[in-house]
Amino acid sequence: MTEKTFTTHLDALRDFSLSHGEPEWMLDLRLKMLAKIDELDLPFIERVKINRWPLLTVPALKNDTDAVLLAEDFLVETNDAPKIIQVGTQTAFEQLPMELIEKGVIFTDIFTALTEHSDLVKEAYMQLAVKADEDKLTAFHAAFMNSGVFLYVPKNVVIEEPLEALFVQNSQIEENFIKHVLILADANSQFSYVEKYQTIGETKNTANIIVEVITKPGAKVKFSAVDQLGVNTTTYFNRRGHLLKDSTIDWALGIMNDGDMVADFDSDLIGEGSHSEVKIVAISTGSQVQGIDTRVTNYGRHSIGHILQHGVIRDKATLTFNGIGHIIKGAKGADAQQESRILMLSDKARGDANPILLIDENDVTAGHAASVGRVDPEEMYYLMSRGIAKIEAERLVIRGFLGSVIAAIPVKAVRDELVDVIEGKLTK
């Protein structure tokens, strides 16, 4: 796609921004990135070629009105827990208890946030964690973002109940999903956030999803996600944390998509004593390709970054884990550890686990472990010799393989849901 093709959308993009009442700075960012898309390169994901993936399909710049009609289909519980449901590009349901509103918590769609809390959004939106001009896909996202959520938790506010966001891609129609989630945790705040991605319909679509989590000094965030986008959805995920002094993010990610997916899951440990734990379970089936770069960069002294990721591959699928730990010069006392393991259940499956350690400072600790292998025949024989069918025996082995990661996920509700989702994906 040429620059000329992108810039033909300038008037439609300007109208889209104005129709949502976006502040001038947001429109300026969109137009600047529209002009830069063609100049930039695609992101490089080791051993995954995405140059022919349809990740630069411009979305229809319009307002979809079908979401409200579908909201009730996704409301499993009717309690007053903080929750947002977005169907397609529209917010179908939004709920925040009055006690949290009175404490200054903001949990709303991105366009409302841009109009009502412009300064707060501007402080962090593609400024700190993900830079808009990093590569072709971030610039494309900045130009064409068409939905999202903003969460702000003020200083010293502690929220006991998880905040939940459900994002449903509407593939009953042709509608590309360019979603932005911006989470701003002010100093010494504490909360858990859970997001889920699903697809309805069979139309071929693309998704470009960026999640930014900014933690100010002393903030503690437990971030959990279960990704289940459909087989006809080609996805780019970018989740990134920007952690200041003594702040923490616990990431727990279940990568259960059915279509091709490439992802950057990154944590930038900026402040002294900042701490990121990244736990990932992933399953690839059919003929899908999934490539995941998980990176922790230690900038701050005594910062800690740990990566634990386990994946399972079936059929003719491909799964790549690139674990990257980078300790920047000056980050004395930093700790970077990673473990990436892949279990292949088919002779036609392909798995790669690539550990990368980049150490630019002395007086640090760092280590890595990586493995790619097949099911131990002796384990299978042992289980089958006790009357367990082969399919069930294989399932038990998978549960054991993924169990160590799942058990380390801090939110019990997410652990339980992930077990159910894994079971469903393995029985398809």
Side-chain angles (χ1 to χ4, degrees):
M1 183 173 286
T2 65
E3 183 180 356
K4 181 179 179 181
T5 305
F6 284 121
T7 55
T8 59
H9 297 279
L10 189 149
D11 289 339
L13 190 59
R14 190 189 302 274
D15 290 343
F16 178 81
S17 178
L18 292 174
S19 72
H20 283 88
E22 293 181 352
E24 186 176 346
W25 68 262
M26 184 65 179
L27 175 58
D28 287 346
L29 177 65
R30 287 186 182 275
L31 298 183
K32 286 176 182 176
M33 291 304 108
L34 181 71
K36 291 197 74 169
I37 296 171
D38 199 59
E39 302 172 9
L40 299 168
D41 294 327
L42 287 167
F44 176 73
I45 307 295
E46 186 77 33
R47 305 194 186 188
V48 182
K49 296 180 179 179
I50 63 171
N51 56 306
R52 294 188 179 181
W53 289 20
L55 293 172
L56 294 168
T57 304
V58 174
L61 297 171
K62 61 182 179 61
N63 288 325
D64 183 349
T65 58
D66 297 333
V68 175
L69 301 176
L70 293 167
E72 61 186 26
D73 297 338
F74 303 97
L75 275 174
V76 178
E77 299 177 356
T78 56
N79 57 31
D80 63 351
K83 178 180 288 189
I84 286 180
I85 299 175
Q86 292 187 342
V87 182
T89 61
Q90 299 297 298
T91 299
F93 181 83
E94 186 175 309
Q95 179 173 271
L96 186 63
M98 182 56 66
E99 63 177 294
L100 296 183
I101 295 174
E102 291 173 349
K103 291 179 179 179
V105 175
I106 302 166
F107 191 35
T108 190
D109 73 274
I110 193 73
F111 296 114
T112 298
L114 281 165
T115 56
E116 297 182 5
H117 311 284
S118 176
D119 289 344
L120 265 181
V121 177
K122 184 180 181 181
E123 175 186 340
Y125 186 89
M126 303 197 84
Q127 299 293 318
L128 300 173
V130 179
K131 303 296 195 301
D133 60 355
E134 279 185 15
D135 57 51
K136 192 180 289 288
L137 295 183
T138 58
F140 179 85
H141 179 101
F144 292 107
M145 184 275 292
N146 60 9
S147 61
V149 162
F150 176 64
L151 169 60
Y152 170 70
V153 179
K155 292 179 181 178
N156 303 315
V157 171
V158 177
I159 304 175
E160 299 296 340
E161 192 165 16
L163 300 104
E164 183 176 333
L166 172 61
F167 303 118
V168 182
Q169 184 189 33
N170 185 8
S171 282
Q172 297 176 112
I173 59 175
E174 186 174 321
E175 179 181 72
N176 295 312
F177 199 61
I178 305 180
K179 190 167 294 291
H180 197 99
V181 177
L182 178 59
I183 298 174
L184 184 55
D186 217 329
N188 300 309
S189 61
Q190 295 184 38
F191 58 92
S192 296
Y193 167 84
V194 179
E195 65 179 23
K196 304 170 187 177
Y197 290 86
Q198 301 174 7
T199 296
I200 53 173
E202 302 293 332
T203 303
K204 288 186 176 180
N205 275 315
T206 63
N208 180 315
I209 299 164
I210 291 181
V211 179
E212 301 183 279
V213 184
I214 315 313
T215 53
K216 293 192 175 182
K220 299 185 185 305
V221 176
K222 293 180 179 179
F223 182 107
S224 303
V226 180
D227 303 338
Q228 294 179 269
L229 292 171
V231 66
N232 291 320
T233 301
T234 303
T235 305
Y236 163 72
F237 260 114
N238 188 333
R239 289 185 172 112
R240 189 173 303 175
H242 181 89
L243 295 86
L244 300 185
K245 181 179 173 63
D246 295 326
S247 66
T248 299
I249 303 177
D250 280 337
W251 304 90
L253 310 177
I255 313 303
M256 302 290 139
N257 305 294
D258 289 327
D260 293 340
M261 188 272 312
V262 65
D264 269 320
F265 300 143
D266 302 337
S267 298
D268 291 327
L269 302 170
I270 305 298
E272 181 175 354
S274 53
H275 186 166
S276 175
E277 296 283 338
V278 187
K279 302 173 184 72
I280 297 172
V281 292
I283 298 179
S284 287
T285 60
S287 58
Q288 74 176 137
V289 175
Q290 295 194 105
I292 300 171
D293 264 12
T294 307
R295 176 181 60 81
V296 174
T297 305
N298 300 70
Y299 293 91
R301 294 165 61 92
H302 306 290
S303 56
I304 300 172
H306 294 165
I307 298 168
L308 175 63
Q309 47 193 6
H310 284 197
V312 173
I313 318 174
R314 300 180 67 177
D315 310 315
K316 299 178 181 179
T318 298
L319 175 63
T320 299
F321 281 149
N322 297 312
I324 306 157
H326 190 181
I327 299 179
I328 302 296
K329 188 169 182 59
K332 290 187 179 298
D335 179 28
Q337 306 289 336
Q338 58 173 285
E339 176 186 318
S340 301
R341 302 197 186 279
I342 292 177
L343 181 65
M344 296 189 294
L345 302 177
S346 165
D347 292 338
K348 297 179 180 179
R350 177 180 172 182
D352 287 303
N354 306 308
I356 301 169
L357 281 177
L358 305 170
I359 312 297
D360 299 329
E361 182 57 80
N362 299 317
D363 188 25
V364 300
T365 56
H368 64 78
S371 67
V372 177
R374 303 190 186 280
V375 175
D376 187 339
E378 292 187 7
E379 281 189 68
M380 290 292 291
Y381 176 79
Y382 175 83
L383 293 169
M384 293 171 64
S385 69
R386 277 147 180 78
I388 300 174
K390 181 180 179 181
I391 292 177
E392 181 60 25
E394 190 176 83
R395 197 172 297 143
L396 288 171
V397 171
I398 293 169
R399 285 181 197 151
F401 178 74
L402 298 178
S404 61
V405 182
I406 294 171
I409 293 173
V411 181
K412 183 180 184 300
V414 176
R415 292 199 302 270
D416 294 342
E417 178 166 359
L418 200 48
V419 169
D420 291 341
V421 170
I422 290 169
E423 197 69 22
K425 190 167 173 68
L426 292 176
T427 54
K428 282 184 180 179

